[in-house]
C-alpha cells in the first residue's frame, strides 16, 4: 500500500485534469446505520460497482478497437476512514476488483488516532486499501470530518451516497454532502436499498465544547506524488 499527501487546493476545479468520467468513485453515508442495513448497503454498492466495471470494460475495448491512444484502467474508489458505510464500500470495491484509496486524518503531518468507534473499521479499510491518503482534519469533530468529505468529493467523478433522502436540517452531514456535490457538478447516485433504516448504528462524532481546531484552507506542504 502506498501513501500520499493530498490536496493542494486545486483538485476538483475545472481543468484540474480529466473529465468526470475519468475521476474516482467516492462514497459517503449516514453513520447511524444498523448492521442489517449495512449488509444491504454493501450488496447495493457491490452491484453498482460491478455494473460500472462492466461499462468501463466495454469502453476500454471500444477505445482499443479505435486505436485512440493508450487504454486506461477502471476508475479507482475512495472513501474517508471511519465506521458504517466506509467499510461496506471498501469491501464492495475490493470484491468488484477495485482496491480502494482511504483518506486518513493527520495532525501536524502525523496520522491521527481515529475515534474509538472507528478503529476496527479503520484497520479493515487500510488492509483493503491500495493507497492511504493523508489529509489534515480532526476525526473527533463533525465539521472537520465534513470538510474532509467535501475535499474528497470535489476531486471525484461520482459520489455514491448512502442517504435516506431527508433534506439537510443543518446537522445531517450526508444530506449536506449530496447538496455540495450537486452544486459542483459532481454526479450523485443515492444508495438506499429497500429495508434500509437509520437510528440504531454508531453515533456521529461529537462536537467538542470548545472551538474546533481550524485547519488551514490549504495544507502548508506541497503536494507529493504517490510513494511506491
Amino acid at each position: 500500500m502506498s501513501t500520499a499527501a493530498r490536496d493542494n487546493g486545486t483538485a476538483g476545479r475545472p481543468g484540474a485534469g480529466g473529465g468526470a468520467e475519468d475521476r474516482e468513485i467516492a462514497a459517503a453515508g449516514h453513520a447511524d446505520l444498523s448492521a442489517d442495513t449495512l449488509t444491504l448497503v454493501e450488496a447495493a454498492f457491490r452491484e453498482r460497482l460491478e455494473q460500472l466495471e462492466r461499462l468501463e470494460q466495454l469502453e476500454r475495448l471500444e477505445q482499443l478497437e479505435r486505436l485512440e491512444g493508450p487504454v486506461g484502467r477502471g476508475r479507482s474508489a475512495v472513501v474517508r476512514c471511519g465506521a458504517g458505510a466506509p467499510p461496506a464500500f471498501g469491501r464492495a470495491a475490493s470484491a468488484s476488483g477495485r482496491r480502494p484509496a482511504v483518506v486518513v486524518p493527520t495532525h501536524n503531518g502525523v496520522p491521527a488516532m481515529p475515534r474509538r468507534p472507528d478503529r476496527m473499521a479503520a484497520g479493515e479499510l487500510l488492509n483493503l486499501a491500495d493507497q492511504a491518503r493523508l489529509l489534515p482534519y480532526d476525526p473527533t469533530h463533525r465539521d472537520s470530518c465534513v470538510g474532509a468529505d467535501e475535499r474528497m468529493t470535489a476531486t471525484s467523478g461520482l459520489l455514491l451516497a448512502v442517504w435516506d433522502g431527508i433534506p439537510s436540517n443543518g446537522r445531517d452531514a450526508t444530506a449536506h454532502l449530496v447538496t455540495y456535490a450537486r452544486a459542483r457538478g459532481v454526479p450523485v447516485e443515492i444508495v438506499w436499498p429497500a429495508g434500509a433504516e437509520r437510528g440504531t448504528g454508531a453515533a456521529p462524532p461529537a462536537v467538542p465544547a470548545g472551538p474546533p481546531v481550524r485547519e488551514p484552507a490549504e495544507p502548508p506542504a506541497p503536494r507529493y506524488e504517490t510513494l511506491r
Side-chain angles (χ1 to χ4, degrees), residues 32-45:
D32 56 344
L33 302 175
S34 67
D36 288 344
T37 294
L38 287 172
T39 299
L40 295 171
V41 165
E42 182 178 338
F45 273 145

Side-chain angles (χ1 to χ4, degrees), residues 130-155:
D130 180 60
Q131 184 185 79
R133 296 183 181 173
L134 308 182
L135 186 67
Y137 72 95
D138 182 353
T140 68
H141 193 277
R142 175 195 177 280
D143 289 349
S144 189
C145 291
V146 169
D149 282 338
E150 289 177 349
R151 293 164 85 171
M152 176 185 73
T153 299
T155 62

Side-chain angles (χ1 to χ4, degrees), residues 30-33 83 115 117-118 199-206:
H30 298 304
D32 56 344
L33 302 175
R115 298 184 315 137
D118 291 335
T200 53

Side-chain angles (χ1 to χ4, degrees), residues 1 6 12 14 29 37 56 85 87 110 115 126 132 137 151 155 161 178 187 193 199 208 211-213 218-219:
M1 179 176 63
R6 296 287 297 202
T37 294
E56 290 166 6
V110 178
R115 298 184 315 137
L126 289 172
Y137 72 95
R151 293 164 85 171
T155 62
V178 169
V213 177
E218 297 182 2

